[in-house]
Amino acid sequence: MNKREAEGCARKNADAAQDRDLSANPSSPIVASFKVFQQELDTKHDKYERLVKISRDVTIESKRTIFLLHRVTNVQDPEEVVNEADVKLDAVRQKIGLIAEELRGEDIYQFHRAFTPGIQEYVEAVSFQHYIRHRSLISLEEINARLVFMKAEKEEPKGADLPMGAQVLTFQVTPADYLLGVADLTGELMRMCISSVGNGDIDTPFKLSQFLRQIHDGFSYIGNTGPYEVSKKLHTLRQSLGKVEDACYTLRVRGSEIPKHMLADVFSSRNTLIDTEEGVV
Amino acid sequence: MSVTEMFTYIQGFLSADQDVREDIRKVVQVLEQTAREILTVLQSVHQPSGFKEIPSKCTKARELFCTVRTHIADLKTKFPVEQYYRFHEHWRFVLQRLAFLAAFVVYLETETLVTREEVAKILDIQVVREKGFHLDVEDYLAGVLIMASELSRLAVNSVTAGDYTRPLRISNFINELDSGFRLLNLKNDPLRKRYDGLKYDVKKIEEVVYDLSIRGLAKEGEAGGDK
């Protein structure tokens, strides 16, 4: 583009081209001030990119934790899996600590778009683990309470003001991110429900359907006051709820007729049906 | 905390957020109105008769900027200062407009590029984020780019009005601006899109200068005088 434009100038107006060369000299006040802008923009973009990178790592690790947690339905000792997830989530929290560090002294909303996918995925993972352990919904405060990081810093002169030279960094999950993370959680719960039926677990689906219904009611209560993405997720949430309710229905109706050891067969065929449906959505 | 309680809490937060946005929207609307008024005042410089009245138009525009300052002061009270970027998109457009208007006034008065500090002073806001409601560098640059296309129009109209030296000065100025923007590494964002339009403004002004010089109409100009 540069070259073509320069050629155009040469053909049309040699003087202007000459002017441009002259004006490119660094002593011009305009050029000098644009050098400052260049630096400012580059710093900002670099920070943004770093945040995107951390966010991507957070997403990947959170997804892996969720996959790990899905194994609780078919292992002997669920507690072991949950504890393993704890270790993984600690690593994720370390990464979020890096985000918090990048954001120190910044307006977190300026870079919010860079890390929101990662945070949503983390909310999904941590709330899924919480549900498996406590059968309840993790609150926003509980999530935020675990995102406090201690940073021992010696080279920072500001640290001297604080006792022991330690700095406390916090990361606050915004309510909107929390909400979107919880909406994703429902999809995981649906999968858990179906797979637990596949394993012949009759109780879990009913508990899950009740829990999902509560969440669904909550989202209906929020309706369209929330961010725009929420209404999109509400649709998927309805589908998940429908699947779980269908599963419970089938259990209730067929449960009395089919011997328990055969239920697994009924649902394994059902499972494939649901999986193909998901592929379309 | 039960699920219902949690959702009630979130809902409370969301409606508070909506209230703030509603307040901001109202102020921004008034601000847009004033910005349009200033633009109307400045548009008259494109009229053949308007060229003589540039100083008086600028004074009038500067008076209107007083109203802008009070509105912005009002806007500042509507939200916590550290959440500037949370609501940024509400006033982003109008702030770019105002930056453009301030830059245009300053250009008409002194034929120099307004600095970011000057714009901030005209609007009574800050330059650095830490000190409060500030002018984002991207908004400032966007405003400058709007001015560039306005100046390419002005170059054409000043020829119509019989002022043959102004296009040469504008050409110099825009070229300098162009080389300034070339220093920036822009991402694929709205600012970059707008910057891509700058070359057409440059081209248009160069065509005007060409037309003038080929007809010998620009002899007394500082830029094309040396041939």
Side-chain angles (χ1 to χ4, degrees), chain A residues 41 44-45 109-110 113, chain B residues 24 28 31-32 75 84-85 87-100 123 133-143 146 189-191 194:
Chain A
L41 285 173
K44 200 163 99 178
H45 292 161
Y109 287 97
Q110 186 175 10
R113 285 238 314 264
Chain B
I24 290 174
V28 166
L31 213 51
E32 274 169 354
L75 180 61
Y84 180 90
Y85 283 100
F87 307 109
H88 188 197
E89 74 266 30
H90 290 295
W91 57 75
R92 181 165 224 165
F93 177 78
V94 73
L95 208 58
Q96 290 176 359
R97 287 259 122 189
L98 289 168
F100 148 58
L123 302 177
F133 193 96
H134 70 290
L135 178 65
D136 190 86
V137 69
E138 291 185 30
D139 291 341
Y140 163 75
L141 292 172
I146 304 176
D189 56 3
L191 185 62
R194 193 161 261 163

Side-chain angles (χ1 to χ4, degrees), chain A residues 111-267:
Chain A
F111 299 99
H112 190 232
R113 285 238 314 264
F115 57 84
T116 172
I119 296 302
Q120 285 176 29
E121 206 66 34
Y122 169 72
V123 171
E124 183 179 344
V126 86
S127 58
F128 190 36
Q129 191 215 25
H130 186 92
Y131 178 77
I132 289 169
R133 199 173 257 168
H134 304 285
R135 302 280 146 177
S136 67
L137 181 66
I138 194 167
S139 73
L140 183 56
E141 279 84 9
E142 279 171 277
I143 293 180
N144 279 337
R146 299 191 73 170
L147 295 176
V148 177
F149 309 97
M150 295 298 268
K151 200 93 204 154
E153 250 173 306
K154 276 145 203 143
E155 65 278 345
E156 183 98 3
K158 269 185 196 166
D161 311 340
L162 293 165
M164 288 147 52
Q167 250 181 339
V168 182
L169 278 174
T170 55
F171 184 88
Q172 296 280 313
V173 175
T174 64
D177 281 345
Y178 171 76
L179 211 54
L180 294 169
V182 171
D184 291 336
L185 166 72
T186 57
E188 300 308 325
L189 293 176
M190 183 272 290
R191 283 172 64 186
M192 187 182 165
C193 167
I194 302 300
S195 65
S196 64
V197 176
N199 289 317
D201 182 351
I202 310 293
D203 289 341
T204 316
F206 290 99
K207 275 187 205 147
L208 276 168
S209 81
Q210 210 178 352
F211 184 61
L212 272 181
R213 224 168 278 145
Q214 282 178 339
I215 293 183
H216 175 260
D217 293 350
F219 271 102
S220 322
Y221 176 63
I222 282 173
N224 59 359
T225 46
Y228 152 78
E229 297 99 312
V230 170
S231 37
K232 257 198 326 200
K233 297 218 166 165
L234 195 56
H235 180 69
T236 329
L237 170 54
R238 285 228 168 82
Q239 281 182 328
S240 303
L241 182 63
K243 282 173 201 169
V244 172
E245 283 177 341
D246 274 358
C248 290
Y249 166 81
T250 319
L251 274 180
R252 197 40 52 89
V253 175
R254 299 271 193 90
S256 49
E257 305 168 354
I258 302 179
K260 271 204 178 127
H261 65 274
M262 284 176 75
L263 263 177
D265 295 338
V266 174
F267 274 95

Side-chain angles (χ1 to χ4, degrees), chain A residues 1-2 5 9 12-13 15-16 18-20 23-24 28-31 33-35 37-38 40-42 44-45 48-49 105-107 109-110 137-141 175 178-179 182 211 214-215 218-219 221-222 224-227, chain B residues 1 3 6-11 13-14 18 82-86 113 116 129-130 136-138 140-141 172-173 175-187 189 195 199 202-203 206-207 209-210 213 223-224 226-227:
Chain A
M1 179 193 90
N2 253 353
E5 219 172 76
C9 291
K12 280 183 178 163
N13 193 335
D15 295 314
Q18 211 176 5
D19 289 338
R20 175 169 300 167
S23 62
S28 147
I30 294 185
V31 171
S33 59
F34 272 82
K35 284 221 168 98
F37 300 147
Q38 177 196 46
E40 194 175 334
L41 285 173
D42 284 353
K44 200 163 99 178
H45 292 161
Y48 191 89
E49 289 308 321
E106 301 280 353
D107 185 333
Y109 287 97
Q110 186 175 10
L137 181 66
I138 194 167
S139 73
L140 183 56
E141 279 84 9
Y178 171 76
L179 211 54
V182 171
F211 184 61
Q214 282 178 339
I215 293 183
F219 271 102
Y221 176 63
I222 282 173
N224 59 359
T225 46
Chain B
M1 202 182 242
V3 177
M6 198 56 224
F7 275 94
T8 316
Y9 168 74
I10 301 268
Q11 156 67 24
F13 175 85
L14 290 173
Q18 270 197 332
E82 71 278 4
Q83 297 183 357
Y84 180 90
Y85 283 100
R86 186 158 155 209
L113 177 67
R116 195 172 157 204
R129 187 180 65 81
E130 282 80 8
D136 190 86
V137 69
E138 291 185 30
Y140 163 75
L141 292 172
N172 271 340
F173 179 73
N175 278 327
E176 208 173 333
L177 212 57
D178 188 42
S179 49
F181 270 101
R182 264 164 214 236
L183 290 175
L184 305 180
N185 308 310
L186 297 173
K187 288 214 301 185
D189 56 3
Y195 163 69
K199 58 177 178 278
V202 173
K203 180 168 175 256
E206 276 170 2
E207 277 167 1
V209 173
Y210 169 77
S213 34
D226 55 348
K227 57 180 159 194

Side-chain angles (χ1 to χ4, degrees), chain A residues 62-70 121 124-125 128 188:
Chain A
S62 304
K63 275 220 164 83
R64 283 186 186 151
T65 315
I66 291 168
F67 275 111
L68 172 75
L69 284 168
H70 271 301
E121 206 66 34
E124 183 179 344
F128 190 36
E188 300 308 325

